[in-house]
Amino acid sequence: GPGPGAAAASWGGPGWRLPGRVLELVFSYLELRELRSCALVCKLWHRVLHGDENSEVWRSLAARCLAEEALRTDILCNVPTYKGKVRAFHHAFSTNDCSRNVYIKKNGFTLHRNPIAQSTDGARTKIGFSEGRHAWEVWWEGPLGTVAVIGIATKRAPMQCQGYVALLGSDDQSWGWNLVDNNLLHNGEVNGSFPQCNNAPKYQIGERIRVILDMEDKTLAFERGYEFLGVAFRGLPKVCLYPAVSAVYGNTEVTLVYLGKPLDG
């Protein structure tokens, strides 16, 4: 049936002109889908919902949908607001769009690869992008092994294959950066090394890499720390692209956190 937003809009009475604090309290009991409907009712409701990203609405939603560990540890330390944390959760790794040899940990953001011999295993996020600009960070918590690739993939890219290979970038459906040898991969070929400087430092375990997808410019770029490493891929197709990773090392873990629109430095 119609959600609370539609019901309220049809009142046309004083109900939908409640004080902001009261609206906030009511909204704090709703789920994200219902809040989306409420935001469309009127300017006041939209303002109450989106004016303060740390309001009671987003705090209570975060408390309900995020694991306590995600809120307690530093996983989301670069996502300052509760609204941002809720959004990051909805953009996290998909528990059913990944290799059967990986699972998503209880924190909701970290992939664990089981120790399976001669297999390369990947995962995509729940939501892909066909427009706009988007940033997320990825980091390895455990050995990289021989191949550890971060990047993007279409829905058609395979997330599991035999052997230890650079799965992300192995066909025309994915684009990857192998952190082990600093090679860029697409269509089964090496597209040169990255970043393009002499003696680029090797990736250190725990180091957060920021990935920036620009669907307007059709580019994929990377940052390390606060250093922009440059554009890695240009001419991306106008299709839905998902943040993705592929791993080979037994019991290694990879965390991915969606940050939202990139801040232009």
Side-chain angles (χ1 to χ4, degrees):
S10 66
W11 298 340
W16 56 280
R17 284 196 291 272
L18 291 166
R21 186 74 192 93
V22 177
L23 283 171
E24 204 176 291
L25 206 61
V26 174
F27 291 158
S28 68
Y29 287 94
L30 304 182
E31 295 309 316
L32 189 61
R33 203 162 47 88
E34 298 163 333
L35 291 175
R36 284 200 183 111
S37 305
C38 290
L40 301 173
V41 170
C42 65
K43 282 182 180 163
L44 170 66
W45 285 31
H46 188 277
R47 197 164 59 241
V48 168
L49 278 172
H50 296 296
D52 176 7
E53 298 206 349
N54 281 314
S55 72
E56 191 53 46
V57 181
W58 299 111
R59 280 172 194 269
S60 64
L61 192 56
R64 291 200 305 276
C65 73
L66 272 75
E68 193 191 331
E69 185 196 338
L71 292 169
R72 199 182 62 240
T73 61
D74 67 351
I75 288 174
L76 298 172
C77 67
N78 291 332
V79 185
T81 70
Y82 282 95
K83 183 184 175 184
K85 293 178 205 296
V86 169
R87 185 177 54 203
F89 173 73
H90 285 276
H91 282 273
F93 282 128
S94 168
T95 52
N96 51 20
D97 192 13
C98 55
S99 163
R100 63 181 179 275
N101 300 323
V102 306
Y103 64 86
I104 310 307
K105 292 178 72 177
K106 279 212 297 277
N107 68 29
F109 294 90
T110 303
L111 165 160
H112 180 103
R113 184 194 175 273
N114 290 324
I116 308 289
Q118 288 303 317
S119 176
T120 300
D121 306 284
R124 259 181 295 258
T125 55
K126 301 172 209 167
I127 298 175
F129 310 109
S130 49
E131 56 186 30
R133 300 175 69 230
H134 306 273
W136 60 93
E137 50 189 16
V138 189
W139 65 97
W140 243 259
E141 301 177 68
L144 298 179
T146 48
V147 214
V149 191
I150 64 176
I152 49 175
T154 70
K155 203 70 167 167
R156 288 164 55 195
M159 286 293 119
Q160 194 272 331
C161 71
Q162 279 201 303
Y164 301 129
V165 299
L167 179 58
L168 214 58
S170 64
D171 62 11
D172 64 356
Q173 299 297 306
S174 57
W175 295 256
W177 176 26
N178 183 5
L179 299 176
V180 177
D181 60 14
N182 279 345
N183 280 339
L184 293 177
L185 308 152
H186 176 58
N187 221 357
E189 295 166 1
V190 173
N191 276 25
S193 65
F194 184 86
Q196 289 178 324
C197 59
N198 293 329
N199 305 322
K202 284 278 185 235
Y203 176 81
Q204 302 297 312
I205 299 300
E207 203 174 17
R208 298 185 181 212
I209 298 287
R210 192 164 290 197
V211 190
I212 301 157
L213 175 65
D214 188 331
M215 291 305 289
E216 310 313 311
D217 278 354
K218 302 182 178 60
T219 57
L220 188 73
F222 295 96
E223 281 178 12
R224 176 169 32 216
Y226 288 97
E227 182 194 0
F228 184 68
L229 300 178
V231 171
F233 294 100
R234 297 180 189 279
L236 297 172
K238 197 77 171 147
V239 295
C240 193
L241 297 170
Y242 294 76
V245 303
S246 67
V248 298
Y249 199 88
N251 293 322
T252 197
E253 297 189 336
V254 190
T255 303
L256 184 151
V257 173
Y258 179 73
L259 300 171
K261 281 194 175 72
L263 297 169
D264 296 310

